[in-house]
Amino acid sequence: MGNLHTKYGYSPDKEAIDRSLDLIASNLEGIKSDDVLRECFGLMDLTSLNTTDTVASITKFVEKVNTYRDIYPGYPLPASVCVYPNLACVVREKRRDAALHVTAVSGCFPTSQTFAEIKAAECARVVEDGADEVDIVLALNKFLAGDYKAAADEIALCRKAVDEAGAKAGRKVVLKVIIESGLLASPEAIADASFLSMEAGADFIKTSTGKVNVNATPMAAFVMCECIKAYYAATGRKVGFKAAGGISSVMDALCYYSIGCTVLGKDWVRPETFRFGVSRLANSLLSAVEQKTVTFF
């Protein structure tokens, strides 16, 4: 399965991507507006993935999401709250609006270093506990060794577990696959990981866990979005994109928003198919729109 990207007629053109990214960067101030920043707010998976997270701290976190529009009206809900698997039930119980999805990292996040059946069991359990969305990590130990089939089989096993648990609960559950793009050696490897994950059943492909030295980058995002576009052209299946890790400023958000609009089109950049995984961006967006320092979240 090596060079999977060639199956879809795609080869990353680094020089062309660099030119596109330079053009995007030069125009960020031109697209910056309160409306776009509010739109970005609605694309966020507000995230708390700390060793010190507790039932009490996640309850407090969700209560902030429940009440912030009392203080700052005119903003959309974030797309979801993302937590560790054992805390998904807290988000489910404490949220006031079912439109705020429960996202749980699973499958031995962030390393994906355990047995495939353990990963699948954890995915099923978080769905039983109320997760609307499940974020897993590509098995890099298999992928980097060139065993693409084994890496894909693990995703497919988690996909099956999520679907079966979701069917029992009477709902469709979203599966996001994190390719950990910062640990991949080349745009071609990022492309192969993207296509592999989509073929194995990912509803979204996601840049990073936020737990390694190199997380989301514009180059990786651009390549992944081009892969999504090529996969859609070949299969007709619309896969989402999620940028995560180190996204904290307004300009970060505008950069990835612009990449999505440029490569995939504006219609793709909505919560159903485009996300930011963030822990700090919410305050930056609020501060920019309100034109004062906001530290609500």
Side-chain angles (χ1 to χ4, degrees):
M1 289 181 68
N3 298 324
L4 185 59
H5 59 283
T6 61
K7 173 180 175 180
Y8 292 91
Y10 174 70
S11 182
D13 183 336
K14 190 174 183 305
E15 290 185 1
I17 293 171
D18 282 340
R19 289 194 297 271
S20 294
L21 290 175
D22 286 344
L23 185 60
I24 286 170
S26 70
N27 193 44
L28 292 184
E29 285 291 347
I31 67 164
K32 183 179 177 183
S33 70
D34 289 353
D35 286 345
V36 168
L37 297 182
R38 286 191 178 94
E39 190 178 347
C40 288
F41 200 96
L43 300 171
M44 293 189 302
D45 288 345
L46 279 176
T47 301
S48 186
L49 296 172
N50 305 305
T51 304
T52 53
D53 287 343
T54 63
V55 170
S57 68
I58 297 303
T59 296
K60 183 178 180 181
F61 188 42
V62 177
E63 283 301 324
K64 287 184 176 182
V65 181
N66 287 338
T67 61
Y68 82 93
R69 288 189 294 181
D70 296 337
I71 304 169
Y72 302 105
Y75 291 83
L77 270 176
S80 81
V81 169
C82 179
V83 295
Y84 279 118
N86 55 312
L87 294 166
C89 57
V90 179
V91 182
R92 183 79 173 184
E93 178 185 346
K94 300 299 181 182
R95 66 178 178 178
R96 293 183 188 172
D97 189 337
L100 177 71
H101 281 192
V102 180
T103 297
V105 295
S106 298
C108 195
F109 176 95
T111 64
S112 198
Q113 291 278 19
T114 192
F115 306 103
E117 59 268 27
I118 300 298
K119 297 178 188 181
E122 188 176 56
C123 288
R125 173 62 186 272
V126 295
V127 174
E128 292 166 7
D129 280 359
D132 302 297
E133 305 181 7
V134 178
D135 289 18
I136 65 171
V137 184
L138 171 68
L140 288 177
N141 55 342
K142 306 288 198 312
F143 181 83
L144 294 175
D147 194 346
Y148 284 16
K149 182 180 185 304
D153 285 348
E154 288 201 7
I155 295 171
L157 187 65
C158 291
R159 171 84 268 175
K160 183 173 184 288
V162 165
D163 287 346
E164 289 179 350
K168 288 179 182 178
R171 65 183 192 277
K172 179 73 172 72
V173 177
V174 170
L175 180 69
K176 306 193 200 85
V177 177
I178 304 161
I179 69 167
E180 204 70 289
S181 58
L183 298 182
L184 302 180
S186 67
E188 289 76 16
I190 291 171
D192 280 350
S194 298
F195 286 120
L196 182 154
S197 299
M198 290 187 284
E199 284 192 345
D203 295 310
F204 273 74
I205 53 173
K206 175 178 170 183
T207 57
S208 324
T209 61
K211 303 295 185 181
V212 296
N213 289 335
V214 179
N215 291 291
T217 65
M219 171 62 77
F222 204 99
V223 170
M224 291 170 71
C225 286
E226 287 194 319
C227 291
I228 290 169
K229 184 177 181 179
Y231 184 78
Y232 177 68
T235 68
R237 189 167 79 87
K238 208 167 190 178
V239 175
F241 170 76
K242 179 175 174 179
I247 300 169
S248 60
S249 73
V250 166
M251 288 306 176
D252 289 336
L254 291 175
C255 176
Y256 292 105
Y257 174 93
S258 296
I259 289 169
C261 292
T262 298
V263 179
L264 296 170
K266 180 64 181 67
D267 287 345
W268 216 288
V269 183
R270 51 194 180 90
E272 293 80 5
T273 45
F274 195 92
R275 300 285 182 85
F276 303 118
V278 300
S279 57
R280 293 171 290 169
L281 179 62
N283 286 331
S284 298
L285 292 171
L286 285 169
S287 296
V289 176
E290 299 299 319
Q291 297 186 1
K292 62 182 180 181
T293 300
V294 176
T295 56
F296 185 81
F297 290 98

